[in-house]
Amino acid sequence: MLILTAGRIALLALDRDLAALQASSRTAFFNAIAVTHEAIWPPAPFESGAFAWAEQNLAHDPEGQGWYGWALLANEGERAPPRLVGIAALIGRPDEDGDVELAFGLLPEFRGRGYGGETIRALAGWGFANGAKRVIAHLDAEDLNAAHTLAKQGFTDTREPPYPGVARWALNAAI
């Protein structure tokens, strides 16, 4: 089991079995990772199709744990089970240039509390340690909160929008 810790959260990498559970049964997935069941799931920008994508990729790349999905867990006290605060993914292994895309979403009640920054730092660091040369994030060009969070983590706007209304931010590995 691959787990990263970052400040107040733990990031649990999906393996083939967890990805299959996540794609097929929200209840079974929550039970398997022993978290409180969340009424709102998945958080934006993720949709159920992303879960099928992770399941399919891990079925074809069983050693790809870490490259296709992470559950973001926060401990809210000794007497409460961990909360699933969001989900993140490095969108597959790095491409031929060493680029990997990062995406994450937090449940509304956990936004603006620093969990996004902790997630970005942990996953970018893990990606660089595992061969990525650049981590890229795409976001709504009007999303100033996400842009601020990325900037605080060292990302810069590439000024190369892949689509109208979408901004591309990047962080290069330290050389």
Side-chain angles (χ1 to χ4, degrees):
M1 186 170 290
L2 175 56
I3 299 173
L4 303 177
T5 56
R8 300 162 296 144
I9 63 170
L11 293 85
L12 171 64
L14 300 182
D15 61 18
R16 196 164 61 182
D17 295 335
L18 284 177
L21 280 177
Q22 179 181 239
S24 65
S25 170
R26 176 168 63 173
T27 298
F29 177 67
F30 292 159
N31 288 342
I33 62 174
V35 296
T36 301
H37 292 231
E38 300 297 338
I40 299 172
W41 192 255
F46 291 90
E47 299 174 356
S48 58
F51 297 159
W53 173 88
E55 178 185 21
Q56 291 167 358
N57 278 286
L58 281 163
H60 288 87
D61 183 7
E63 301 300 316
Q65 189 176 16
W67 294 113
Y68 304 105
W70 298 79
L72 310 177
L73 308 165
N75 190 340
E76 294 200 310
E78 291 179 16
R79 296 179 184 218
R83 291 283 307 271
L84 190 56
V85 300
I87 192 157
L90 292 167
I91 313 295
R93 292 180 182 270
D95 67 14
E96 60 277 353
D97 295 325
D99 290 350
V100 66
E101 186 175 346
L102 166 71
F104 71 97
L106 299 173
L107 292 172
E109 70 186 275
F110 295 101
R111 294 180 188 145
R113 295 174 50 187
Y115 293 115
E118 292 175 19
T119 298
I120 292 165
R121 275 192 306 277
L123 290 184
W126 186 88
F128 292 143
N130 287 279
K133 291 181 175 48
R134 184 169 77 153
V135 176
I136 297 170
H138 293 111
L139 59 133
D140 182 322
E142 304 295 319
D143 190 343
L144 299 179
N145 290 329
H148 177 73
T149 299
L150 288 166
K152 282 178 60 177
Q153 306 314 314
F155 281 70
T156 56
D157 187 343
T158 66
R159 307 282 183 217
E160 301 167 349
Y163 312 103
V166 174
R168 177 180 299 185
W169 286 66
L171 177 66
N172 292 315
I175 297 176

